[in-house]
Amino acid sequence: DPIKWTSHLDYFRLALENWGRIQILKHEHGALEADMGRDPARDDAIADQLAAKNDEIGKLALVVVVFSAFTLEAYINDYAITALSKNYFKSYTDKLDVVAKWIVIPRLVTGNQLASGSRAMQDVAWLVALRNTLAHFKSKEVVIADIRASDLLWYEDAERAIRAVRTSTLALREI
């Protein structure tokens, strides 16, 4: 007998594992920040450790964001295939962009859709846009002084990516 094979749970597990690592690093980062200035002779070493923690958080946030985005797409695809059929999905909804899938597919299945201005849809749109920015990044030359905090991935981006998966999948189950 065939078994159902989907990837969204594996993707989200990877996102959550890396989110857990980020939380540990964030805690360690906070402890280092608290030590900053207590012993000026150690401040340079602490600053280096803080920078290393920030770098690691950024790398892990990349994994969390990308795998959270993978989760959203795999989840809505599985939802559509389960509710509509694989043939219908491939013929009519597979080529929609991910945000459109989150609006159109629930409407086809339930007659209702996630409100476009809802927190869930805002989170889906944000995560898909961020994933696309990361996936289609174009190399460029920059002056270090021109790099903004928003050019990097942070703890908060990983946190929002996890929330996006949770809020959107919960909203979908509630309609």
Side-chain angles (χ1 to χ4, degrees), residues 29-106:
H29 189 280
L32 286 168
E33 281 184 320
D35 285 345
M36 195 71 155
R38 289 186 181 167
D39 180 0
R42 291 191 57 232
D43 281 355
D44 284 345
I46 291 172
D48 290 343
Q49 290 175 333
L50 287 169
K53 300 264 183 225
N54 283 337
D55 287 346
E56 189 64 22
I57 287 170
K59 290 173 188 171
L60 293 170
L62 176 64
V63 174
V64 171
V65 166
V66 170
F67 277 93
S68 292
F70 286 1
T71 301
L72 284 183
E73 186 161 9
Y75 188 89
I76 196 65
N77 289 347
D78 178 63
Y79 177 84
I81 290 166
T82 301
L84 300 170
S85 82
K86 186 164 190 164
N87 187 44
Y88 189 92
F89 171 76
K90 287 183 87 54
S91 297
Y92 302 108
T93 62
D94 187 29
K95 298 298 181 201
L96 294 173
D97 69 70
V98 178
V99 175
K101 286 180 182 184
W102 275 88
I103 293 174
V104 171
I105 292 170

Side-chain angles (χ1 to χ4, degrees), residues 140-154:
K140 58 187 173 185
E141 290 188 16
V142 296
V143 175
I144 291 177
D146 293 340
I147 298 173
R148 300 178 318 258
S150 61
D151 294 329
L152 306 170
L153 289 176
W154 298 96

Side-chain angles (χ1 to χ4, degrees), residues 157-172:
D157 297 309
E159 182 177 47
R160 187 170 180 191
I162 295 293
R163 185 184 75 212
V165 172
R166 289 179 171 154
T167 59
S168 58
T169 56
L170 178 63
L172 184 60

